[in-house]
Amino acid sequence: MLACSLALTGCNHAPEFNILGSYFPAWLLCIACGTLLSGLSFAALKRAGLDREIVASIVVYPCLALFFACTLWLLLFR
């Protein structure tokens, strides 16, 4: 019985938010915030005139969004 209870310790409740009666997973919130932060960083780079220096922007901005999303996940939910 003890071995079974130790094997099930990782089965916790998934992190989720109740927004207007619907439960949204936490990773969805992290992806949305990561995309928003990536858009804000694009606007900041464009305003500073540094957006022309980024050669492969089609790769850089999705990677930046992924970086922000994973960082938010680690900071808020781990």
Side-chain angles (χ1 to χ4, degrees):
M1 196 61 139
L2 180 64
C4 289
S5 66
L6 289 176
L8 295 176
T9 57
C11 300
N12 269 340
H13 193 280
E16 54 190 27
F17 297 102
N18 183 3
I19 301 174
L20 297 175
S22 288
Y23 287 98
F24 290 97
W27 59 265
L28 191 63
L29 178 70
C30 289
I31 288 175
C33 290
T35 304
L36 178 69
L37 288 172
S38 178
L40 289 174
S41 65
F42 169 73
L45 287 173
K46 187 153 184 88
R47 175 170 254 191
L50 296 174
D51 62 330
R52 288 172 268 148
E53 301 296 324
I54 298 175
V55 179
S57 63
I58 197 160
V59 175
V60 169
Y61 290 113
C63 288
L64 196 58
L66 179 66
F67 168 74
F68 284 135
C70 290
T71 302
L72 285 172
W73 174 263
L74 288 174
L75 289 175
L76 299 176
F77 299 106
R78 291 290 173 173

